[in-house]
Amino acid sequence: AGMSSTKFFHRLGLLPGASPSQVKSAYHKLALTCHPDTHPDDPDANQRFMDLKQAMEDAQAMAGGSEQPRDLVKLGVDLSTFS
C-alpha cells in the first residue's frame, strides 16, 4: 500500500506541486528532527527517518527534479552516517 502522490508532499510539509528545490529544503529541515544519529535514544528515529527519506525521493521524482531521485549524495547527505 503506497502513499498517494499528495501524501509524499504532505509528509514533507509541502503542497503538491512544490519545486524540487522546495522538496530538498523541506527534507533537510525535517531530517534533522528525526535523524537516528541525533536521536540515539529514540528507537523509532531510524524508521521515521527512512519514511521521510522515501517521501522525499518520491516527491522529488514527482516534482520532476533534475536530480536522480534516489541519489542522496547530490542532496548533500553523507551516506556514511547510514551504514
Side-chain angles (χ1 to χ4, degrees):
M3 285 195 232
S4 73
S5 60
T6 58
K7 288 185 182 179
F8 297 126
F9 290 100
H10 291 296
R11 175 70 180 93
L12 296 167
L14 299 170
L15 294 174
S19 72
S21 62
Q22 290 172 312
V23 170
K24 282 196 288 190
S25 178
Y27 168 74
H28 284 290
K29 289 177 188 173
L30 289 170
L32 295 174
T33 69
C34 63
H35 195 285
D37 288 351
T38 58
H39 298 84
D41 298 327
D42 183 349
D44 298 322
N46 187 60
Q47 185 58 51
R48 283 197 315 273
F49 182 74
M50 297 308 286
D51 290 345
L52 177 65
K53 184 177 82 125
Q54 185 64 51
M56 179 276 303
E57 290 172 350
D58 293 327
Q60 189 80 319
M62 284 182 229
S66 59
E67 299 88 359
Q68 293 178 359
R70 300 193 183 278
D71 192 347
L72 295 178
V73 174
K74 288 184 182 177
L75 298 179
V77 176
D78 181 1
L79 297 178
S80 67
T81 62
F82 306 117
S83 54

